[in-house]
Amino acid sequence: MSSSEAVSAKRVIPALRFKQWLDRWNDYDFSEEFLRRKPPEHIYMFSLRAAELRALSDVYKRERQGSAAEGIQRVRDTTRTGRIQNYVRYGYPYGDLKEPQRTDETSSLRKPGWLPTAIVINILLADDERHGRKVSEGCHAAIKDLGDGRFEIIVPSKMETSEGGLAPFEVIDGQHRLWAFDAEVGEEPLPDDFELPVVAYHGLDISWQAYLFWSINVSPKRINPSHAFDLYPLLRTQDWLDRVGELNVYREARAQELTEQMYAHESSPWRNRINMLGERGGSGVSQAAWVRTLLQTFLSTGRGQGRAGLFQANLSDGIEPLDWTRSQQTAFIIRLWSDISASLERNKNLYWIRKFETPEMAFEDKRSMLNQDQGLRAIHAAANDIFYHSAQVWQLDRWILRSNDDIELYSSEVSSALLSLDKQPFRQFIAEFADQLTYFDWRSFDGPGVRSDEGGEELLLQKRAYRGSGGYAVLREDLLRKLTEANGSVGRTASTLLFEMTA
């Protein structure tokens, strides 16, 4: 077969060229003996229809012949290929649903299946060999410099490779994305006019390809879902994640993380005081109660009749949730409770505190609602509602810190976040909230002096009303009423919320 028969025409692909090279790299170890000849300083980028890229890439021809893949290319995983096909057609999460789950009710979960990540290839040189084979005569790809920063990749428009010859492209990364567009795969082939971004090396030796494959697929540290919600706060309010349970998984994991730091961090007033094992008769609020309370307050989605959580919900229509990381959220709760603890000490002459003998006992005694599920939830609910309502006015959304996924650095990042929080404009409102909160009588029904106080039957009825399943709502309303007595922004916000609640 002659060269003119091998190639009927040429296809010209506009391309960008960019340089990725440091001068110090010139001194690195390059060796043709170990298939690591010096790589080119420039890389190319272009787009190509999936069908054309398949035809120009040798990976498909070898797969259909059933032979082993060349170089670093992997064996086809049909399950993975099928999942990519479904993703392209339907997006996430609809593409992951089983056929019986794809109903009219779940049709709103369909999304565009974009593939923005580039297929990484190497353009073979005329003398490049792979197991004794070269690119077929007349089938090489050429790169033309047009000047002014413009380049063209010139390839055969129709491939007719000779027996055992190679195609001009070899795929370094992205084989399964290409396989997903194979007409022989799946019951409903994907359209061939779907274009894919391509990053192309020119004459990259095979050992460098293996190194690049490792760099792309193994070396980078994958972020966990919890960190993803910190990097993109808008994810916290996406209905399509909620429908498949991802939001609940995130919220529960985040509530657990916050609880563990409240138990362990050196600045937390709750350090070593949360009943982490749920032991019967154990003093203090249980870990389960902490998690449940956080889910019902700061991490509430705000959907339906639920409250809008300060850490979870959009601040208002068209505005994303607070861009607060895990460490910032933890710091806010720690500072809230450390201010409450400090306020108890400052106001230790208050009648109800004196009944516990010391401010520490007023906080830690099991007869204090500050150390009971009901009190914890009421305080978190009031703080959440007040600070959510005033988040933009008090500039909570201006507090931005860098996010880090390293769990080992979590505690130190919380310490840094606490220092940063103390410099924020809204810091004064946390202190104002905590100070007014201590003027509320936090003795439980079994608290010291409740049954013998001058308050008599009225006090007993009030404390009894806080017990049982309906007690939380009564306690929250009474707490808001007490907060309205504060002078300043916290009192005014509490008045607004109380009016909305009782209107």
Side-chain angles (χ1 to χ4, degrees):
M1 180 171 58
S2 67
S3 297
S4 60
E5 292 173 327
V7 182
S8 58
K10 293 291 185 180
R11 165 84 155 90
V12 176
I13 306 168
L16 299 174
R17 189 181 78 166
F18 55 97
K19 182 179 180 180
Q20 283 195 352
W21 194 261
L22 301 180
D23 288 340
R24 66 174 57 193
W25 294 358
N26 291 314
D27 299 326
Y28 289 3
D29 182 23
F30 304 117
S31 169
E32 291 196 25
E33 179 184 358
F34 295 104
L35 304 178
R36 286 199 304 265
R37 67 173 175 245
K38 188 174 181 179
E41 296 184 359
H42 294 89
I43 309 170
Y44 300 86
M45 179 176 287
F46 54 89
S47 67
L48 202 59
R49 290 169 56 237
E52 289 185 271
L53 188 55
R54 283 204 317 270
L56 294 167
S57 301
D58 203 38
V59 59
Y60 274 87
K61 179 170 63 65
R62 287 198 302 275
E63 170 63 15
R64 285 197 283 269
Q65 290 176 344
S67 61
E70 290 287 336
I72 49 83
Q73 295 170 359
R74 292 166 286 179
V75 175
R76 179 186 298 191
D77 181 342
T78 55
T79 300
R80 184 177 179 190
T81 301
R83 187 181 183 194
I84 294 173
Q85 285 183 327
N86 284 330
Y87 166 76
V88 173
R89 291 191 189 99
Y90 307 119
Y92 179 84
Y94 191 88
D96 277 353
L97 298 180
K98 293 180 171 57
E99 195 61 39
Q101 296 174 305
R102 294 176 183 171
T103 63
D104 291 341
E105 184 179 348
T106 59
S107 63
S108 62
L109 297 177
R110 292 176 296 183
K111 301 287 185 293
W114 289 307
L115 294 175
T117 305
I119 306 293
V120 182
I121 69 168
N122 176 52
I123 301 174
L124 287 158
L125 302 177
D127 293 333
D128 281 337
E129 289 190 9
R130 300 292 182 257
H131 295 290
R133 297 185 296 163
K134 294 184 178 182
V135 177
S136 301
E137 183 181 356
C139 293
H140 297 97
I143 298 175
K144 184 177 182 179
D145 186 348
L146 301 177
D148 300 326
R150 295 179 298 124
F151 292 83
E152 290 178 343
I153 311 294
I154 303 172
V155 298
S157 61
K158 182 179 180 182
M159 293 299 304
E160 294 290 349
T161 59
S162 60
E163 184 69 25
L166 299 175
F169 296 165
E170 55 186 357
V171 180
I172 299 172
D173 186 69
Q175 294 94 328
H176 284 91
R177 275 168 281 159
L178 270 181
W179 275 322
F181 288 87
D182 193 340
E184 299 178 9
V185 176
E187 298 179 359
E188 180 188 348
L190 294 172
D192 279 340
D193 60 353
F194 195 100
E195 293 189 2
L196 298 171
V198 180
V199 166
Y201 290 79
H202 189 207
L204 189 66
D205 218 344
I206 194 68
S207 286
W208 289 123
Q209 293 185 40
Y211 165 76
L212 188 58
F213 178 84
W214 174 277
S215 300
I216 294 171
N217 292 284
V218 181
S219 179
K221 181 179 179 182
R222 305 297 183 185
I223 64 174
N224 62 44
S226 178
H227 189 49
F229 284 96
D230 280 349
L231 295 175
Y232 267 90
L234 189 59
L235 288 172
R236 302 172 193 166
T237 61
Q238 297 302 294
D239 59 342
W240 49 275
L241 282 173
D242 194 22
R243 293 279 294 276
V244 294
E246 294 286 358
L247 276 186
N248 285 337
V249 172
Y250 155 71
R251 291 171 58 241
E252 290 171 5
R254 178 52 53 89
Q256 185 67 45
E257 291 171 338
L258 296 175
T259 299
E260 289 174 356
Q261 277 298 302
M262 291 302 297
Y263 175 80
H265 197 275
E266 61 184 3
S267 297
S268 172
W270 287 90
R271 188 179 189 188
N272 298 327
R273 289 187 48 232
I274 300 174
N275 184 357
M276 299 298 284
L277 299 179
E279 298 166 310
R280 286 184 173 274
S283 61
V285 182
S286 69
Q287 175 182 219
W290 259 92
V291 169
R292 184 171 57 250
T293 295
L294 291 171
L295 290 173
Q296 294 167 340
T297 56
F298 295 112
L299 293 170
S300 178
T301 62
R303 293 199 174 93
Q305 298 300 314
R307 66 167 32 86
L310 181 65
F311 302 160
Q312 185 72 26
N314 291 334
L315 294 181
S316 62
D317 291 341
I319 299 180
E320 297 183 16
L322 282 179
D323 192 7
W324 282 10
T325 66
R326 173 180 58 188
S327 299
Q328 288 172 277
Q329 295 169 2
T330 307
F332 179 86
I333 300 175
I334 287 179
R335 186 57 74 228
L336 171 68
W337 282 100
S338 65
D339 278 3
I340 292 173
S341 178
S343 183
L344 290 171
E345 180 64 36
R346 284 196 308 273
N347 297 304
K348 59 186 177 182
N349 290 324
L350 288 173
Y351 180 76
W352 76 269
I353 297 178
R354 285 191 285 112
K355 284 294 183 179
F356 281 105
E357 297 183 0
T358 67
E360 291 78 13
M361 291 294 291
F363 190 3
E364 300 176 10
D365 194 290
K366 64 181 181 180
R367 297 170 297 171
S368 169
M369 286 189 291
L370 292 176
N371 196 27
Q372 295 179 1
D373 296 7
Q374 292 281 58
L376 181 75
R377 184 180 174 191
I379 290 172
H380 283 178
N384 176 84
D385 296 351
I386 286 174
F387 281 87
Y388 177 85
H389 185 276
S390 301
Q392 292 172 271
V393 177
W394 293 349
Q395 299 182 13
L396 273 69
D397 54 339
R398 303 287 183 87
W399 185 32
I400 306 295
L401 291 181
R402 183 178 63 86
S403 178
N404 194 307
D405 189 30
D406 193 339
I407 192 66
E408 294 182 1
L409 298 178
Y410 186 10
S411 182
S412 62
E413 286 198 341
V414 171
S415 299
S416 298
L418 283 166
L419 294 175
S420 175
L421 186 154
D422 288 339
K423 301 174 184 177
Q424 302 308 309
F426 62 85
R427 173 67 183 89
Q428 60 178 312
F429 303 119
I430 301 177
E432 184 181 325
F433 174 89
D435 189 66
Q436 184 61 28
L437 181 142
T438 56
Y439 286 90
F440 187 83
D441 185 346
W442 288 101
R443 290 177 296 170
S444 68
F445 182 80
D446 298 319
V450 169
R451 302 186 190 189
S452 59
D453 270 353
E454 295 178 359
E457 190 63 25
E458 182 179 351
L459 180 63
L460 283 174
L461 288 174
Q462 181 189 54
K463 298 298 182 182
R464 186 178 287 114
Y466 298 152
R467 307 175 81 178
S469 58
Y472 158 70
V474 179
L475 177 58
R476 175 174 174 260
E477 182 175 337
D478 285 354
L479 177 56
L480 275 179
R481 203 176 306 279
K482 175 59 69 174
L483 290 170
T484 63
E485 299 173 8
N487 295 320
S489 296
V490 169
R492 289 192 293 272
T493 303
S495 296
T496 300
L497 293 174
L498 186 63
F499 175 79
E500 293 174 353
M501 180 190 301
T502 57

